[in-house]
Amino acid sequence: MFSRWFGGGAIAETTGSQNPVPSIALVPDSGNISPDGALQISAVWSCIDRRASTIASLPFFAYTTKNGQRELARNTRLYSLLHESPNSRMTPYEFWRAMMLNHDLRGNAYARIDRDGRGEALALWPMPADQVEVEVLGDGSMVYKYQLGSDIAVLSEQNVLHLKNLGNGTVGLSKLEFMRSTTDEAAKAQGTASKVFGTGGKPTGVLMIDKVLSPEQRKNIKDSFAG
């Protein structure tokens, strides 16, 4: 009864592992398009690239409040992380492009926060969304399980930067899974077009004639369809 009143599936909230994918398929038997497959669709690549590049090019700052006035916190580690170097391997532009790629394809972007002994953030490291499992514990707190190879790291929510797309507030919904029928249709259309143009645009079929042809007539018809 409660599920009928308040809904379920995409908007449901549960404890345990979160599953941000549709509970039912709008179009049965539609193929599962992975991020690698989706990015081979030109429209998907263009949209992801444009959004990620635009957001990554925006300046990110940290501020402090002094005497009721907001000031740039240029001398803080957080300012350096957001504006200059999130980690030893990436520029801010590269970091935010990676985050937005995950956000726009999977609905969630995760970054591990490395801290010093005082709890101050030292580095931000993106974690691929497909390698992160979000779990809500019985007391309402969250943990993030990050799998890298055969190793699994369990991180508290204080040590993870989590950007969520449209969802229930706990996790974002996986865009690729919810758009599966659309991306599957686009992939099939692209595959069909590739086959048609690969044969010179000539459809296959059977030619039927209601009389016996001479060898010369058969050769002329064959040459005509082969040209």
Side-chain angles (χ1 to χ4, degrees):
M1 178 176 294
F2 283 103
S3 64
R4 185 169 68 247
W5 286 348
F6 299 107
I11 61 175
E13 183 174 353
T14 62
T15 57
S17 297
Q18 303 298 295
N19 188 27
V21 301
S23 57
I24 60 172
L26 177 64
V27 179
D29 302 323
S30 54
N32 182 24
I33 306 298
S34 68
D36 289 351
L39 288 172
Q40 294 178 57
I41 301 173
S42 58
V44 175
W45 176 280
S46 298
C47 292
I48 296 292
D49 183 53
R50 176 64 61 87
R51 273 179 48 83
S53 298
T54 300
I55 293 176
S57 66
L58 298 174
F60 290 86
F61 300 113
Y63 294 89
T64 59
T65 302
K66 184 177 182 180
N67 298 325
Q69 299 294 322
R70 191 178 69 169
E71 297 179 355
L72 283 173
R74 296 182 182 276
N75 297 323
T76 64
R77 180 60 186 171
L78 181 59
Y79 182 95
S80 177
L81 282 179
L82 296 176
H83 190 258
E84 297 174 6
S85 178
N87 57 61
S88 60
R89 196 170 63 221
M90 299 176 179
T91 64
Y93 183 80
E94 294 167 338
F95 172 83
W96 290 112
R97 271 173 61 91
M99 292 290 283
M100 291 310 301
L101 174 68
N102 282 270
H103 177 274
D104 285 353
L105 286 175
R106 286 308 194 194
N108 295 279
Y110 307 99
R112 186 183 80 245
I113 305 174
D114 286 350
R115 301 182 185 275
D116 61 14
R118 297 177 301 172
E120 185 178 5
L122 298 177
L124 298 170
W125 293 97
M127 299 185 294
D130 285 349
Q131 295 171 225
V132 177
E133 180 183 349
V134 181
E135 184 173 345
V136 177
L137 303 181
D139 61 1
S141 62
M142 295 171 57
V143 295
Y144 296 82
K145 298 178 181 179
Y146 174 45
Q147 182 169 355
L148 185 62
S150 58
D151 297 325
I152 297 179
V154 180
L155 307 171
S156 67
E157 54 189 324
Q158 291 80 14
N159 292 321
V160 175
L161 172 63
H162 183 185
L163 304 183
K164 309 162 191 174
N165 189 36
L166 176 70
N168 63 1
T170 301
V171 292
L173 300 178
S174 177
K175 289 186 179 181
L176 278 186
E177 294 294 339
F178 275 86
M179 299 306 298
R180 177 185 293 188
S181 59
T182 302
T183 52
D184 181 53
E185 179 182 334
K188 289 177 179 176
Q190 189 167 301
T192 300
S194 178
K195 291 179 181 179
V196 171
F197 288 112
T199 58
K202 299 182 180 64
T204 59
V206 177
L207 177 64
M208 300 183 67
I209 299 178
D210 59 357
K211 63 180 180 179
V212 179
L213 300 178
S214 66
E216 183 178 357
Q217 289 174 319
R218 289 197 296 270
K219 182 179 183 303
N220 289 339
I221 291 177
K222 182 179 180 180
D223 292 341
S224 176
F225 279 89

